[in-house]
Amino acid sequence: MKTVLDKIYANYPENDRELLLSAYRYAETMHEGQKRASGEPYFTHPCAVAEILIDLGMDVPSVAAAFLHDVIEDTPATAEDIRGLFGTEILTLVDGVTKLDKIHYQTHEEEDAENFRKIFVAMANDVRVIIIKLADRLHNMRSLNFLSNERQQRISKETLEIFTPLAGRLGISQIKCELEDLCLKYLDPEGYEYLVTNIHQKLAERHDFVDFVVKELKKLLEESGIGGEVFGRPKHFYSIYKKMKNQGKSLDQIYDLSAVRVIVETTEECYEVLGKIHKQWKPVPGRIKDYIATPKRNLYQSLHTTVVTNFGQFFEIQIRTREMHEMAEYGIAAHWKYKEQKISETGFDQRLSWIRDVMDWQGSLNDSKEFVDSLKNDLYDNELLVFTPHGKVISLPLEATPVDFAYAIHSEVGNKCVGAKVNGKIVALNSTLNTGDVV
Ligand code: MN
C-alpha cells in the first residue's frame, strides 16, 4: 500500500493528489475488516488496481475510480455517496465497472465469446471503464493461486476468451501478455512448466548470439548515422505456446524465442534500417511484415523481418519509431499517458476514431491472420524459396515438391529419398512446397 502512495506522489501534481488521496482513504475506510481469499486486507486489491493504472499512465479520474471500483458492490456505499464526494465523472467510471461485474460469461463457444465481447464494449460507455476492468482482472489473475482449482479454471478460461482479446484490441500489449501467461499457467500447468524451464535454458544458450546481433545492429546504425536504440527481448510464453500448438512445431523449430528491436526517430529511418539489414543478412521470404504502411486494427505499427545469418541462425527483428513503440506497449492507454505532451494532433484524431471503431466493433478480432494474408504477396513472386535445415536457401520452380528439393541438393539425394519433413512435420513426397518452408 505504501508503493501506491509513493507512485501517486511521483506521478501526479499536488492539486490532483488531494482527490486521489481522498479516494484512497474512503476506500480504505469502507473496505475496513474485509479480507481477500489470500487473507490480506481487501483494500490491498483496489490499491493494486490503482497501481497498475498509474503505471499505464492513466488519468486522475481513472485512478480514483480504481480505488473505489468495488465499494458500491461490496460495501454500504451508494452511487449517491460517490457522486457527492467525488463527482459525476468518477461515479460514471465506478458505476460502469460495477455493471460489467454483473454480466457473467457462461458458455465457451467462440461465437458467444465474440458476442460477449461486443456486449462488454457496448456496456462500457467510456473506454476507461474497460481499462480499469482489465487492471482489475490482471490483479485477480495475479492472485489466483488462493482460489479453488475449479475457480482458477473458470476464471482463466474467461480471461483468455474475453479479456485478453479486449486488451489486444485496445493495443495494451503489456496487460495482454501478462494475462495470457497467467492463464496458461492455470489452464496447462505442465505445458507452462515445460516452457519456463526450456525457454530459460534456450535463452541462456542464445544469449551470446542475441548479444552479437544487437552489437551488429548498433554498428549498422552508427555507420548509417542514425540515432537509435537496439535491444533483445524474450517473447512471452503464451505466444510461443500458441505457435507450437497451431503450427505443430517443437520448441527447437521456433526461431523467434526472442525478438530484437530497433527503435529509431523517424519512419524513413525505419525503412532505411530495414534495407540495410537485408543487405547484411538474408531475409526469410514471407516473413517481412510492413505494419507501418498497413497498421493493425489496434494501430500497432512496426516493420518485422526474420533474417538468417551465414551460419543458419534465424532471428526476428522489429523496427519502429519511439512513438510507435509507446503505442505498441500501451495501446490506447498511451493517449492518457502522453496527453500532456501532445505528441501529435493527427495521432490523437486517429485514436478518437479508433475508440469509435472499438465501440462499433465490426468484424473479427483476428488481426494477425488478416494482415498476414494481405501481406502474402511478397517480394519473391516467380520462384519458390525454401530452406535447408541449416538455413541455406534453395530456389525451386513454383509448385515444386520435396523430391525436386532432394534433386536440387544432389542427384544422389534425389535418387535415394524415401520421405520428407517440412517444417518439422512428415509430409508426402508429392506435396507442394511453400516459400519459407524448412525442408
Ligand atoms: Mn475488483
Side-chain angles (χ1 to χ4, degrees):
M1 274 178 272
K2 193 178 167 295
T3 42
V4 76
L5 292 177
D6 288 342
K7 283 187 179 172
I8 288 174
Y9 280 98
N11 291 284
Y12 297 90
E14 206 182 336
N15 45 344
D16 288 335
R17 259 180 242 150
E18 208 29 62
L19 178 61
L20 291 175
L21 292 178
S22 71
Y24 172 97
R25 284 190 294 262
Y26 184 75
E28 186 178 34
T29 315
M30 294 312 288
H31 288 296
E32 175 105 60
Q34 297 178 345
K35 292 247 189 299
R36 300 199 83 209
S38 63
E40 288 174 296
Y42 191 87
F43 182 55
T44 56
H45 167 65
C47 283
V49 176
E51 219 180 301
I52 293 168
L53 292 170
I54 294 172
D55 289 340
L56 277 180
M58 293 301 294
D59 62 357
V60 172
S62 303
V63 177
F67 283 121
L68 302 168
H69 81 272
D70 280 328
V71 297
I72 294 184
E73 186 69 11
D74 297 336
T75 80
T78 65
E80 280 319 303
D81 296 339
I82 303 298
R83 193 202 306 276
L85 288 164
F86 302 101
T88 305
E89 184 180 7
I90 290 173
L91 170 66
T92 311
L93 296 177
V94 174
D95 208 36
V97 176
T98 308
K99 268 195 203 127
L100 289 187
D101 279 336
K102 289 195 177 131
I103 51 173
H104 287 288
Y105 176 61
Q106 306 285 355
T107 69
H108 293 284
E109 309 288 326
E110 179 48 34
E111 261 178 51
D112 294 335
E114 171 81 23
N115 284 331
F116 191 87
R117 289 189 293 257
K118 278 186 190 159
I119 294 168
F120 210 85
V121 172
M123 282 183 66
N125 46 4
D126 188 317
V127 73
R128 289 176 295 178
V129 169
I130 299 179
I131 299 174
I132 297 167
K133 195 60 208 156
L134 285 172
D136 176 46
R137 180 52 61 110
L138 179 57
H139 183 244
N140 285 334
M141 285 299 299
R142 280 179 186 167
S143 40
L144 203 61
N145 51 322
F146 297 102
L147 300 187
S148 69
N149 188 273
E150 186 270 326
R151 287 189 70 195
Q152 288 174 349
Q153 297 294 311
R154 187 178 57 72
I155 295 171
S156 300
K157 260 194 195 147
E158 183 186 78
T159 301
L160 205 55
E161 283 158 14
I162 306 300
F163 292 91
T164 64
L166 279 169
R169 192 67 184 85
L170 297 176
I172 311 174
S173 66
Q174 288 207 334
I175 287 188
K176 176 175 178 268
C177 293
E178 191 181 341
L179 279 179
E180 283 179 341
D181 281 352
L182 285 164
C183 291
L184 181 61
K185 185 172 150 190
Y186 292 101
L187 293 174
D188 184 357
E190 279 158 33
Y192 180 79
E193 247 343 285
Y194 171 84
L195 284 180
V196 171
T197 316
N198 288 284
I199 288 175
H200 278 312
Q201 195 198 333
K202 285 201 177 299
L203 286 176
E205 284 166 16
R206 267 177 70 102
H207 182 265
D208 288 345
F209 171 63
V210 173
D211 237 32
F212 159 77
V213 172
V214 168
K215 275 203 195 102
E216 287 294 304
L217 286 170
K218 279 185 176 159
K219 212 162 78 190
L220 186 147
L221 285 184
E222 218 168 280
E223 284 166 5
S224 319
I226 296 172
E229 242 185 280
V230 184
F231 51 92
R233 185 170 184 270
K235 295 230 167 152
H236 75 301
F237 296 130
Y238 187 73
S239 66
I240 294 165
Y241 180 84
K242 229 172 39 188
K243 217 172 244 179
M244 290 168 68
K245 283 261 141 115
N246 295 349
Q247 304 173 11
K249 286 184 173 169
S250 74
L251 197 52
D252 287 318
Q253 295 158 332
I254 309 275
Y255 307 130
D256 42 5
L257 290 179
S258 55
V260 177
R261 285 195 183 135
V262 181
I263 314 282
V264 293
E265 288 306 316
T266 68
T267 305
E268 290 71 30
E269 286 169 349
C270 292
Y271 288 103
E272 194 183 334
V273 170
L274 181 74
K276 295 212 154 125
I277 288 170
H278 285 172
K279 221 168 126 189
Q280 183 154 347
W281 292 306
K282 198 145 183 72
V284 178
R287 297 291 305 264
I288 305 161
K289 293 168 196 168
D290 186 346
Y291 294 120
I292 293 180
T294 323
K296 290 192 190 187
R297 289 187 62 209
N298 62 15
L299 293 193
Y300 174 86
Q301 287 189 298
S302 203
L303 298 175
H304 292 190
T305 183
T306 301
V307 296
V308 55
T309 67
N310 304 334
F311 302 106
Q313 298 133 312
F314 293 80
F315 58 98
E316 188 186 291
I317 305 175
Q318 304 173 348
I319 309 155
R320 49 176 86 145
T321 65
R322 166 82 32 210
E323 195 179 341
M324 290 172 195
H325 182 60
E326 301 293 354
M327 259 325 262
E329 293 292 309
Y330 300 103
I332 198 161
H335 161 56
W336 287 278
K337 194 178 178 75
Y338 298 98
K339 206 175 181 179
E340 309 301 317
Q341 303 172 21
K342 288 218 166 62
I343 290 185
S344 70
E345 284 301 318
T346 46
F348 178 67
D349 287 345
Q350 247 178 336
R351 276 164 212 159
L352 281 186
S353 70
W354 176 29
I355 296 170
R356 278 192 290 273
D357 181 37
V358 171
M359 291 306 181
D360 221 18
W361 211 304
Q362 301 290 324
S364 82
L365 287 147
N366 262 339
D367 292 332
S368 44
K369 196 182 171 312
E370 253 170 61
F371 277 89
V372 171
D373 285 349
S374 71
L375 285 161
K376 265 187 180 154
N377 50 346
D378 61 289
L379 311 167
Y380 306 87
D381 253 359
N382 299 314
E383 56 175 343
L384 177 63
L385 296 173
V386 296
F387 288 102
T388 70
H390 299 293
K392 190 164 176 278
V393 178
I394 305 286
S395 168
L396 296 169
L398 292 174
E399 313 270 305
T401 68
V403 177
D404 298 321
F405 174 85
Y407 276 104
I409 300 288
H410 194 282
S411 55
E412 274 308 295
V413 179
N415 288 337
K416 287 184 181 156
C417 80
V418 290
K421 236 185 190 180
V422 172
N423 303 327
K425 272 187 182 162
I426 298 199
V427 300
L429 281 173
N430 64 352
S431 56
T432 323
L433 296 173
N434 293 306
T435 286
D437 283 347
V438 178
V439 186

